[in-house]
Amino acid sequence: MRKIILASHGDLSKGMLGAVKMIIGSSELGSNIDAYSLEIGKNPYDYVEKMKEEIKKNPNDEYIFISDIKGGSVHTALTQLCVYKNVKLFSGMNMNMVFELVFYKEKTLTTENGFRLLDEIKNGITFMDSQSFILQGSDEF
């Protein structure tokens, strides 16, 4: 079974989970997606210790963590879980990323496929201003 955990400082992960449920539907997502929100005064390493126990109890499950920002305290703490072969960690949480991982159909997310997915996710990040809008062939505002 694949478990996706959205992890962030504050309530970003809870908000992201709520938005994903709104678009996809709670029943479609099931119970295999969850959110961890680091609260002020809490230590993300406490959560990591809790997750270590769960991962050890469920060695056949795949855990995909999506953190808000690379190098932040949540991401840094979660990197410790990558010693387990059934754990993957993405940073830079966004809706494209969550959707790609929710709808990922392969049995296991391999390293190669993880990098391929990352390229797909990056394609969903764009920039536009009036100049690029015009260059794309549209003259309507």
Side-chain angles (χ1 to χ4, degrees), residues 75-115:
H75 178 263
T76 301
L78 291 173
T79 59
Q80 291 187 356
L81 299 175
C82 291
V83 298
Y84 300 100
K85 291 185 184 283
N86 59 335
V87 171
K88 281 68 174 190
L89 172 61
F90 287 86
S91 64
M93 182 188 339
N94 64 55
M95 292 282 269
N96 293 336
M97 181 181 289
V98 177
F99 287 148
E100 287 288 341
L101 291 165
V102 164
F103 293 118
Y104 184 73
K105 297 296 180 201
E106 297 296 323
K107 183 176 170 138
T108 304
L109 180 62
T110 64
T111 301
E112 181 181 326
N113 288 343
F115 283 109

Side-chain angles (χ1 to χ4, degrees), residues 35-53:
Y36 164 71
S37 298
L38 178 63
E39 299 171 2
I40 295 173
K42 300 289 183 177
N43 186 336
Y45 291 96
D46 293 338
Y47 177 72
V48 167
E49 290 304 316
K50 175 184 160 197
M51 290 309 301
K52 282 181 183 179
E53 294 305 314

Side-chain angles (χ1 to χ4, degrees), residues 12-135:
L12 177 65
S13 59
K14 290 178 185 175
M16 182 69 70
L17 181 56
V20 169
K21 284 182 177 180
M22 182 175 139
I23 294 168
I24 297 175
S26 294
S27 59
E28 294 294 319
L29 283 174
S31 62
N32 296 335
I33 185 166
D34 201 5
Y36 164 71
S37 298
L38 178 63
E39 299 171 2
I40 295 173
K42 300 289 183 177
N43 186 336
Y45 291 96
D46 293 338
Y47 177 72
V48 167
E49 290 304 316
K50 175 184 160 197
M51 290 309 301
K52 282 181 183 179
E53 294 305 314
E54 181 177 331
I55 292 164
K56 287 176 189 175
K57 288 179 189 173
N58 302 294
N60 295 323
D61 288 349
E62 180 178 47
Y63 291 84
I64 300 176
F65 291 89
I66 307 173
S67 71
D68 54 355
I69 185 168
K70 179 183 176 184
S73 58
V74 173
H75 178 263
T76 301
L78 291 173
T79 59
Q80 291 187 356
L81 299 175
C82 291
V83 298
Y84 300 100
K85 291 185 184 283
N86 59 335
V87 171
K88 281 68 174 190
L89 172 61
F90 287 86
S91 64
M93 182 188 339
N94 64 55
M95 292 282 269
N96 293 336
M97 181 181 289
V98 177
F99 287 148
E100 287 288 341
L101 291 165
V102 164
F103 293 118
Y104 184 73
K105 297 296 180 201
E106 297 296 323
K107 183 176 170 138
T108 304
L109 180 62
T110 64
T111 301
E112 181 181 326
N113 288 343
F115 283 109
R116 193 173 300 127
L117 269 175
L118 197 55
D119 287 338
E120 289 296 319
I121 293 161
K122 289 176 185 176
N123 286 332
I125 299 170
T126 63
F127 168 78
M128 184 175 282
D129 64 1
S130 61
Q131 184 66 29
S132 61
F133 189 71
I134 292 167
L135 290 174

